């Protein structure tokens, strides 16, 4: 069974935090509601009639009701926050249309704020709490241009950069940037700039993101927090805790308890 926390359900609104296991896939499907999603950890590929979106860093995805799509999740899994809005519900009357399908790179503070509102005391799971209006407004708000990244697109293969990405993600020896640059036959500054242009984040941030996802996967499968942190390459549990909180807004203990509910 897929680990999931249903944070709010009712009044035309459904908010879920879901962990998709490494390599998991979802066949083509559509929702009868508008859906706004955020990738908090890991990677995913979403395929629709308009093309493919390879989502590597924190991004917001929009899918209007009825949009048919398929998903494939990364080698380290994916943690996704989803907000479903029933366009026919009385409580949702007058809300703006979320827009056409797309994924846009976005700061992590927006989904973290939504998680904070959704789990706040007094904001009941039936969707009738006082923070409901703020939550929906936050989800539908457009991130200012100066803080928003570019649109997410299909990653046309670039073999040398794809190999660097695979090594950062999968190599247990965790080669440093100089070694990766030497193998690719480029200067390390050129590697770092090229990686950031292609994937939207620097190699060091990508490696940390992969560590977080690996540790979350082990943690959800029952590993002790200290063991999950060590296996994923963190110096200690406190470093792991800081990284998870920065990326998801929760401590590992809180995140695990939510997904186990």
């Amino acid at each position: 069974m897929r680990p999931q926390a249903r944070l709010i359900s009712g009044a035309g609104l459904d908010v879920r935090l879901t962990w998709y296991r490494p390599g998991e896939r979802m066949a083509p499907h559509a929702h009868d509601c508008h859906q706004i999603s955020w990738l908090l950890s890991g990677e995913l590929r979403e395929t629709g009639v308009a093309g493919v979106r390879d989502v590597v860093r924190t991004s917001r995805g929009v899918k209007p009701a009825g949009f048919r799509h398929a998903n494939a999740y990364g080698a380290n899994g994916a943690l996704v926050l989803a907000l479903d809005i029933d366009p026919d519900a009385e409580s949702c009357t007058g809300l703006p249309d979320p827009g056409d399908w797309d994924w846009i790179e976005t700061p992590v503070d927006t989904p973290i704020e939504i998680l904070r509102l959704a789990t706040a005391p007094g904001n009941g799971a039936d969707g009738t709490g006082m923070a409901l209006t703020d939550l929906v407004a936050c989800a539908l708000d457009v991130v200012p241009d100066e803080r928003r990244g570019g649109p997410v697109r299909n990653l046309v293969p670039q073999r040398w950069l794809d190999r660097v990405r695979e090594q950062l993600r999968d190599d247990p020896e965790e080669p440093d940037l100089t070694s990766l640059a030497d193998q690719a036959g480029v200067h390390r500054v050129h590697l770092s700039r090229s990686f950031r242009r292609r994937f939207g984040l620097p190699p060091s941030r990508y490696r940390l993101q992969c560590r977080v996802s690996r540790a979350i996967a082990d943690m959800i499968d029952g590993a002790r927090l200290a063991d999950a942190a060590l296996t994923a390459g963190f110096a200690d549990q406190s470093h792991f805790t800081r990284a998870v909180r920065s990326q998801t807004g929760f401590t590992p203990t809180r995140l695990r308890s939510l997904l186990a509910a």
Side-chain angles (χ1 to χ4, degrees):
M1 187 175 180
R2 186 180 296 140
Q4 184 178 91
R6 180 165 264 105
L7 306 176
I8 292 177
S9 184
L13 185 70
D14 195 79
V15 182
R16 302 180 316 282
L17 182 66
T18 305
W19 172 252
Y20 295 92
R21 298 187 184 281
E24 185 174 345
R25 293 176 177 270
M26 296 180 69
H29 62 287
H31 306 286
D32 57 4
C33 57
H34 300 319
Q35 186 176 85
I36 304 174
S37 305
W38 288 264
L39 177 71
L40 292 173
S41 175
E43 303 171 31
L44 65 85
R45 166 174 281 199
E46 189 164 272
T47 304
V49 293
V52 177
R53 303 292 184 264
D54 287 303
V55 190
V56 176
R57 53 160 291 181
T58 304
S59 302
R60 184 183 83 161
V62 171
K63 289 180 282 291
F67 179 77
R68 192 165 177 80
H69 60 286
N71 298 92
Y73 299 93
N76 293 316
L79 183 66
V80 177
L81 172 67
L83 188 150
D84 294 344
I85 301 173
D86 181 356
D88 297 324
E90 183 178 352
S91 58
C92 296
T93 301
L95 287 178
D97 189 297
D100 296 329
W101 173 61
D102 215 342
W103 283 87
I104 297 290
E105 296 172 353
T106 188
V108 73
D109 53 352
T110 298
I112 286 178
E113 176 65 9
I114 289 173
L115 282 168
R116 187 191 67 78
L117 290 167
T119 56
N123 190 29
D126 60 355
T128 60
M130 293 183 64
L132 174 62
T133 301
D134 289 342
L135 188 151
V136 175
C138 186
L140 293 174
D141 194 27
V142 176
V143 178
D145 288 341
E146 66 271 15
R147 298 178 58 231
R148 183 176 60 202
V152 175
R153 292 291 180 262
N154 182 27
L155 295 175
V156 177
Q158 294 184 22
R159 297 192 62 175
W160 76 275
L161 276 173
D162 291 338
R163 283 196 297 269
V164 169
R165 178 188 177 190
E166 290 168 3
Q167 287 179 282
L168 287 169
R169 183 188 66 203
D170 302 331
D171 193 333
E173 299 299 323
E174 295 201 339
D176 60 27
L177 201 60
T178 299
S179 299
L180 292 172
D182 288 345
Q183 292 176 38
V186 299
H187 192 278
R188 63 183 183 180
V189 173
H190 176 71
L191 185 153
S192 182
R193 292 176 64 191
S194 299
F195 191 96
R196 185 178 187 124
R197 288 196 190 106
R198 177 162 169 75
F199 299 111
L201 71 174
S204 58
R205 180 64 188 172
Y206 178 73
R207 172 175 278 165
L208 177 61
Q209 181 175 289
C210 290
R211 285 176 178 169
V212 168
S213 297
R214 284 198 301 270
I216 290 174
D218 287 346
M219 177 184 76
I220 290 174
D221 284 341
R224 294 189 312 122
L225 296 185
D227 293 338
L230 183 62
T231 301
F234 288 97
D236 51 47
Q237 189 174 329
S238 63
H239 183 202
F240 170 49
T241 297
R242 290 194 300 273
V244 173
R245 183 186 285 124
S246 173
Q247 200 159 313
T248 71
F250 294 120
T251 65
T253 300
R254 175 63 171 148
L255 181 62
R256 181 162 62 181
S257 68
L258 276 173
L259 294 171

